[in-house]
């Protein structure tokens, strides 16, 4: 009989294969030029030297003159990485210029005008013909521009679309690389002592493409400049890490000198973002696919799991739509309204409502998992008692986080150290209080289950704290699953347990004690990319 980890890996491979087949059906015939780029890109991932920490990577970036940051245009996590890195570099006061692929170089003036607040966002997007010339979700790329504005960073437009009649047999990919390389080299030479961060499609960053073209351009000027390449979430590398049993522990890999790969998301989510960009599926359909995956992994039946409704903050009057079902219970309506106004996501069991502030796999999978549990066990409503709600929600959030990790093994949760840093967050002190109580319980003392007065006064605070504690326990459950200390039968029992106030407390204490010795490689969410 295979282990639960082997079961999980088989499921992940099946998901990836399905997504790859979909992508091939959309791409059609791959041109020889594109195939060469794909083959060259694969060569960079034949082997890797070692795994490194975020701190070590930032230290290496500080020494570089040019950093190439790979981008997968449809995947929002990909656009978050350069911002997370830039936040660290800015702290060290190094001068920074951003080179960007998403704006054509002929639109440099419009880019400057936008950064200087001389034109509006709408005018900027119209001036650069964003939809026609780039077309990927602006909301994903917008934070990069906002970061540049906030820190007064110059941005250099790098892209170029050669006219059809001027291509002369040279591939468009090569032409764009050559064009961008000249601008990158010129910018680096004109700004000594400045870090130039180039955000460009990951495929272009194979060592013998854009980086080589820049190197050639600099050699002509007899100038040696230190460069560093950051790839993102390569499929081949991911399965190498799986083979070693460390894919869920490793975020950064050193491929060779001055070349790294960030592995902060599984490859199927990256590729699935492309399919979703093409298909634009309904939220209901996306969540239904998640439900199917999680139920198949747990080995539960799909009966009743088509009966749910999805609401997002994008919908007008979503708050009134959801809370209108509770007009006969003003107290429940008030509590629900307070939570929904602040929550990233929420599930209403009495009506099978899944609320998402915005669509994300992590939040969708968390609420879908809770829906699976409530449907399977017949849990139909949150209790009126705030104490019971706290502990029952804690259990639901534990399962929800576990389910989200099944879909995205790279999902992070905040740890105790993170809450130590949140000095102005009223929930942080309460989270630390419960963690201290838990440590006392581990030493043989009775567990103090009494809620602090602040939680009794605020439904939102009650939800937020119980969610944070549930996420931490869900993270440990996933670690136990990965190390085969949690069996498939254990997972089934988690989804079959009947949820009542005292049972929820007992379950929290039982699993906290059982998993107490499991230690995470990361002590803080901030340790990771």
């Amino acid at each position: 009989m295979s282990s639960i980890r082997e079961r999980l890996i088989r499921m992940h491979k099946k998901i990836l294969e399905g997504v790859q087949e979909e992508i091939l059906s959309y791409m059609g015939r791959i041109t020889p030029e594109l195939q060469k780029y794909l083959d060259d890109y694969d060569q960079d991932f034949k082997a890797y030297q070692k795994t490194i920490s975020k701190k070590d990577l930032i230290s290496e970036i500080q020494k570089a003159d040019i950093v190439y940051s790979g981008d997968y245009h449809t995947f929002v996590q990909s656009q978050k990485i350069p911002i997370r890195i830039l936040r660290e570099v800015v702290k060290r006061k190094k001068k920074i210029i951003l080179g960007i692929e998403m704006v054509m170089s002929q639109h440099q003036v419009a880019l400057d005008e936008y950064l200087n607040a001389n034109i509006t966002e709408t005018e900027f997007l119209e001036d650069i013909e964003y939809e026609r010339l780039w077309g990927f979700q602006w909301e994903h790329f917008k934070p990069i521009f906002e970061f540049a504005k906030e820190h007064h960073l110059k941005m250099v437009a790098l892209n170029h679309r050669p006219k059809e009649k001027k291509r002369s047999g040279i591939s468009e990919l090569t032409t764009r690389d050559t064009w961008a390389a000249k601008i990158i080299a010129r910018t680096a030479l004109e700004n000594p002592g400045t870090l130039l961060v180039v955000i460009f499609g990951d495929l272009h960053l194979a060592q013998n493409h854009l980086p080589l073209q820049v190197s050639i351009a600099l050699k002509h000027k007899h100038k040696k400049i230190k460069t560093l390449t950051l790839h993102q979430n390569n499929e081949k590398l991911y399965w190498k890490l799986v083979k070693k049993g460390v894919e869920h522990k490793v975020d950064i890999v050193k491929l060779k000198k001055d070349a790294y790969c960030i592995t902060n998301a599984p490859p199927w989510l990256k590729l699935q973002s492309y399919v979703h960009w093409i298909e634009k599926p309904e939220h209901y359909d996306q969540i239904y696919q998640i439900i199917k995956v999680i139920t198949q992994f747990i080995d539960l039946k799909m009966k009743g799991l088509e009966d749910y409704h999805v609401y997002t903050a994008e919908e007008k009057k979503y708050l009134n739509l959801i809370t209108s079902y509770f007009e006969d219970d003003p107290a429940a309506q008030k509590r629900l309204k307070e939570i929904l106004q602040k929550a990233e996501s929420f599930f209403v069991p009495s009506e099978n409502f899944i609320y998402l502030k915005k669509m994300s796999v992590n939040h969708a999978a968390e609420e879908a998992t809770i829906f699976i549990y409530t449907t399977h066990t017949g849990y139909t409503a949150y209790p009126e008692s705030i104490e019971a709600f706290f502990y029952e929600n804690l259990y639901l959030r534990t399962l929800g986080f576990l389910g989200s990790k099944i879909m995205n093994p790279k999902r992070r949760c905040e740890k105790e150290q993170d809450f130590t840093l949140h000095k102005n967050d009223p929930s942080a002190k309460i989270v630390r209080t419960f963690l201290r109580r838990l440590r006392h319980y581990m030493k043989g003392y009775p567990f103090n289950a009494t809620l602090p007065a602040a939680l009794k006064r605020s439904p939102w605070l009650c939800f937020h704290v119980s969610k944070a504690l549930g996420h931490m326990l869900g993270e440990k459950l996933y670690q136990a699953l990965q190390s085969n200390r949690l069996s498939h039968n254990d997972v089934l029992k988690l989804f079959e347990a009947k949820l009542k106030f005292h049972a929820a407390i007992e379950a929290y204490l039982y699993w906290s004690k059982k998993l107490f010795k499991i230690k995470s490689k990361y002590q803080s969410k901030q340790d990771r990319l």
Side-chain angles (χ1 to χ4, degrees):
M1 184 181 290
S2 62
S3 70
I4 193 166
R5 172 172 162 79
E6 290 170 332
R7 181 188 181 98
L8 186 67
I9 291 168
R10 282 199 305 273
M11 184 195 75
H12 287 160
K13 285 184 175 179
K14 187 177 179 181
I15 294 171
L16 180 59
E17 287 166 5
V19 176
Q20 287 172 329
E21 286 177 10
E22 283 190 86
I23 288 177
L24 285 173
S25 71
Y26 284 119
M27 289 181 69
R29 188 181 75 85
I30 296 176
T31 64
E33 293 82 7
L34 178 56
Q35 189 61 58
K36 184 180 187 314
Y37 264 71
L38 290 167
D39 292 342
D40 290 344
Y41 179 75
D42 275 348
Q43 288 297 313
D44 287 357
F45 297 92
K46 275 192 169 181
Y48 70 90
Q49 290 185 1
K50 61 180 180 178
T51 64
I52 67 165
S53 68
K54 174 183 170 183
K55 181 180 178 182
D56 289 340
L57 177 63
I58 298 301
S59 177
E60 290 301 312
I61 288 171
Q62 282 292 115
K63 300 171 189 175
D65 300 296
I66 301 174
V67 171
Y68 301 104
S69 180
D71 185 62
Y72 194 82
H73 307 323
T74 58
F75 191 40
V76 66
Q77 283 300 320
S78 189
Q79 287 87 57
K80 289 179 179 179
I81 287 300
I83 297 174
R84 290 170 182 164
I85 289 170
L86 287 165
R87 282 197 195 112
E88 298 296 325
V89 178
V90 163
K91 292 176 187 175
R92 292 156 176 80
K93 307 296 184 185
K94 187 163 186 174
K95 291 180 181 178
I96 302 167
I97 293 175
L98 301 185
I100 54 172
E101 182 189 11
M102 66 281 310
V103 179
M104 302 294 149
S105 59
Q106 68 262 32
H107 295 136
Q108 182 65 50
V109 172
L111 176 58
D112 293 340
E113 290 285 284
Y114 178 59
L115 293 176
N116 293 324
N118 293 328
I119 58 174
T120 65
E121 179 183 310
T122 301
E123 289 170 331
F124 171 60
L125 296 178
E126 288 176 355
D127 287 351
I128 67 171
E129 299 181 80
Y130 185 87
E131 282 302 318
R132 186 178 75 84
L133 294 176
W134 188 244
F136 299 103
Q137 292 112 309
W138 165 244
E139 290 304 316
H140 292 182
F141 290 91
K142 181 179 176 181
I144 298 172
F145 292 82
E146 290 179 335
F147 185 91
K149 279 185 170 185
E150 180 186 350
H151 295 279
H152 308 290
L153 306 183
K154 179 177 176 58
M155 298 182 91
V156 179
L158 300 175
N159 210 345
H160 173 63
R161 298 284 182 191
K163 292 181 180 179
E164 200 71 40
K165 63 182 180 181
K166 291 187 178 180
R167 290 186 184 174
S168 307
I170 300 173
S171 79
E172 181 185 345
L173 293 170
T174 302
T175 303
R176 288 166 58 201
D177 282 353
T178 305
W179 182 277
K182 290 177 182 177
I183 300 172
I184 292 166
R186 184 177 69 243
T187 304
L189 291 170
E190 290 174 354
N191 297 274
T194 297
L195 173 62
L196 174 55
V197 177
V198 176
I199 303 170
F200 223 86
D202 208 39
L203 201 62
H204 294 268
L205 302 189
Q207 289 302 299
N208 59 347
H209 287 289
L210 181 59
L212 178 61
Q213 294 286 348
V214 174
S215 179
I216 291 170
L218 289 169
K219 277 183 180 178
H220 290 160
K221 301 292 183 181
H222 307 288
K223 193 78 174 177
K224 188 170 179 61
I225 282 179
K226 181 175 173 56
T227 66
L228 184 148
T229 301
L230 290 176
H231 292 292
Q232 285 198 40
N233 299 310
N234 177 265
E235 298 96 280
K236 185 182 287 188
L237 180 60
Y238 182 83
W239 295 116
K240 288 180 187 292
L241 296 173
V242 167
K243 194 171 182 179
K244 292 192 174 184
V246 296
E247 79 284 355
H248 57 295
K249 300 176 182 177
V250 172
D251 279 349
I252 310 165
V253 171
K254 183 174 183 178
L255 300 171
K256 56 185 177 182
K257 184 182 178 182
D258 299 329
Y260 301 82
C261 186
I262 292 166
T263 60
N264 72 328
W268 55 90
L269 291 188
K270 180 186 82 170
L271 297 179
Q272 200 170 55
S273 71
Y274 176 79
V275 175
H276 288 170
W277 177 68
I278 294 287
E279 294 181 346
K280 296 178 174 53
E282 297 290 334
H283 296 329
Y284 178 96
D285 296 326
Q286 291 184 57
I287 291 173
Y288 190 67
Q289 292 304 313
I290 291 170
I291 290 169
K292 285 204 296 186
V293 169
I294 295 172
T295 52
Q296 286 171 12
F297 175 73
I298 300 169
D299 203 14
L300 295 174
K301 293 179 180 179
M302 284 290 294
K303 185 179 179 181
L305 293 177
E306 304 89 357
D307 182 23
Y308 60 93
H309 303 275
V310 183
Y311 292 93
T312 70
E314 298 162 2
E315 299 174 60
K316 292 180 179 179
K317 300 182 180 179
Y318 77 91
L319 197 59
N320 292 335
L321 282 170
I322 298 173
T323 57
S324 65
Y325 286 82
F326 296 86
E327 289 178 350
D328 294 337
D329 188 348
Q333 188 181 51
K334 182 181 177 183
R335 178 170 69 183
L336 182 59
K337 192 169 186 177
E338 184 178 324
I339 293 171
L340 288 175
Q341 284 175 325
K342 297 182 179 179
E344 293 290 327
S345 62
F346 192 68
F347 178 68
V348 184
S350 59
E351 305 296 334
N352 286 349
F353 289 163
I354 292 174
Y355 165 72
L356 304 171
K357 186 175 181 181
K358 59 183 178 181
M359 183 65 196
S360 80
V361 171
N362 289 341
H363 294 303
E366 180 171 341
E367 304 312 326
T369 304
I370 293 172
F371 168 57
I372 291 167
Y373 169 82
T374 59
T375 301
H376 186 65
T377 59
Y379 183 88
T380 57
Y382 292 118
E384 292 182 10
S385 159
I386 195 73
E387 289 86 356
F389 171 74
F390 179 86
Y391 286 102
E392 290 180 22
N393 187 61
L394 193 161
Y395 187 84
L396 293 174
R397 294 295 145 186
T398 299
L399 295 188
F401 196 82
L402 175 63
S404 70
K405 290 281 284 188
I406 289 168
M407 290 301 301
N408 178 14
K410 295 289 189 175
R411 188 183 184 189
R412 304 174 294 171
C413 77
E414 291 193 301
K415 306 289 184 72
E416 184 170 8
Q417 187 173 318
D418 294 299
F419 288 101
T420 303
L421 298 172
H422 299 336
K423 294 179 180 178
N424 296 324
D425 183 351
S427 66
K429 184 177 179 180
I430 302 173
V431 169
R432 297 200 305 273
T433 296
F434 273 95
L435 293 175
R436 281 196 301 272
R437 290 179 182 181
L438 201 56
R439 283 193 289 271
H440 282 299
Y441 174 75
M442 298 305 164
K443 293 177 181 178
Y445 296 101
F447 180 73
N448 179 5
T450 307
L451 297 193
L455 295 189
K456 295 179 181 179
R457 292 192 299 267
S458 170
W460 158 248
L461 207 56
C462 185
F463 167 78
H464 188 53
V465 171
S466 58
K467 179 181 176 181
L469 295 170
H471 280 191
M472 282 186 263
L473 182 55
E475 172 72 28
K476 286 202 167 190
L477 281 171
Y478 186 77
Q479 287 180 261
L481 183 154
Q482 281 282 10
S483 58
N484 290 316
R485 282 183 272 184
L486 190 72
S487 69
H488 180 243
N489 195 46
D490 287 332
V491 175
L492 269 174
K493 286 180 179 177
L494 283 165
F495 281 83
E496 289 173 346
K498 297 293 182 181
L499 191 54
K500 296 294 180 185
F501 176 26
H502 293 292
I505 298 175
E506 289 168 7
Y508 175 58
L509 296 177
Y510 170 79
W511 286 107
S512 294
K513 192 169 187 178
K514 187 170 183 177
L515 306 175
F516 186 67
K517 291 185 179 180
I518 290 181
K519 302 297 180 184
S520 173
K521 180 179 177 181
Y522 300 99
Q523 299 306 310
S524 166
K525 193 175 181 180
Q526 304 307 314
D527 292 340
R528 309 184 67 180
L529 281 171

